[in-house]
Amino acid sequence: MIKVQNIVKTIGLMATFAFVSSSVSATVIFSDNFNRANSSNIGNGWTEIEDDSYDINIWDWNDAQDGVVRLRDGTPDAELYRTVDTTGFSDIYLDFVWGGSDAWFISDTDTFNAGYNDGNGLVTLFSESLDGFDGYHSLSFGALSGANNNSDLEIRFWIDADGNGDKGYLDDVVVRGTAASVPEPGSLALLGLGLAGLGLSRRKTKA
C-alpha cells in the first residue's frame, strides 16, 4: 500500500511540475542578422541618422548574403535605432556582434556605442574604442532595467567619432526575454491529473 501511495504522489508532483515548467519559456522577441544584399537602406524597421546615404549601409562581402552594418562618421555621427515591443515579456536581454576599424588615423576616443531607451531616457550599455580592428566580438546585456513589458522599447547603436572615415560594424542583433505563456488544454489536463494524484495520496495517508 505504501509503495502504491508513493507512486501516486510522485506522478502528481511530476505532473504539477511539468505544468509549471511549460508555462514559462525563453523567447527571441526580435532578431536581425542583416544577411541581405548591399544597400544604403537597412530596412526591417530600422531608422537611420546619418550625414549621407553611405554613412549607414549593409556590407555584403562577396555578395554572399552574409552582410553586416557599417556605421561611418559624419555630422551627425551615424546612429541606428529600432523600436521593439516587449509586451508580455520580462528579463529582457540585448545581444549583438560588433567590430572596430583598421584605419590608421582613428583616435582612441572614437567609439562604438550601444544602448536602449525605455521611455525615460537613453541608457548606454556599451562604449568601446573603434581603434585596432581585431575581429568581431559577441556581447550580451541584461536584464535591462525598465525594458520589461514595454511596447515602445528602443534599441540604439551609434558611433562617436571625429571624422576621417572612422567606422564601426554591427551584426546579429537579438532582443530576447521570458514569456509567461497561456496554458494549453493539454497542460490544464496535466495539472488536473497532478492535483488529483496529490489528493488521492493525502486520502490514503489519512486512511
Side-chain angles (χ1 to χ4, degrees), residues 5-195:
Q5 175 183 330
N6 288 340
I7 292 174
V8 171
K9 185 175 182 180
T10 300
I11 293 174
L13 289 172
M14 290 176 63
T16 304
F17 175 76
F19 168 77
V20 173
S21 298
S22 67
S23 65
V24 178
S25 60
T27 305
V28 173
I29 305 168
F30 168 78
S31 67
D32 197 340
N33 58 18
F34 307 106
N35 288 350
R36 37 197 185 267
N38 288 320
S39 175
S40 60
N41 181 15
I42 304 303
N44 197 22
W46 291 98
T47 297
E48 305 164 35
I49 299 176
E50 54 192 337
D51 185 37
D52 65 51
S53 60
Y54 292 99
D55 284 341
I56 302 178
N57 56 4
I58 290 179
W59 283 73
D60 176 20
W61 307 113
N62 300 320
D63 295 321
Q65 298 293 307
D66 188 21
V68 298
V69 172
R70 185 189 72 171
L71 295 95
R72 192 178 65 175
D73 72 300
T75 305
D77 287 326
E79 183 172 0
L80 187 68
Y81 67 92
R82 191 189 195 283
T83 297
V84 178
D85 186 355
T86 65
T87 301
F89 294 90
S90 61
D91 197 26
I92 306 299
Y93 277 72
L94 173 62
D95 310 327
F96 61 92
V97 174
W98 84 283
S101 178
D102 56 359
W104 62 268
F105 45 73
I106 289 183
S107 166
D108 288 341
T109 60
D110 297 339
T111 58
F112 179 96
N113 309 273
Y116 73 100
N117 189 334
D118 63 357
N120 295 305
L122 179 64
V123 177
T124 299
L125 296 171
F126 175 77
S127 182
E128 185 64 36
S129 173
L130 290 167
D131 188 26
F133 184 85
D134 59 350
Y136 292 95
H137 307 275
S138 298
L139 298 176
S140 180
F141 296 91
L144 306 183
S145 176
N148 295 348
N149 203 40
N150 192 323
S151 62
D152 199 29
L153 179 67
E154 198 173 80
I155 55 175
R156 285 182 173 263
F157 303 92
W158 70 98
I159 63 170
D160 186 359
D162 58 9
N164 298 319
D166 303 349
K167 53 189 178 291
Y169 300 93
L170 172 68
D171 202 7
D172 294 332
V173 176
V174 176
V175 177
R176 54 190 171 91
T178 301
S181 60
V182 178
E184 298 178 358
S187 298
L188 291 174
L190 194 61
L191 177 62
L193 175 63
L195 294 176

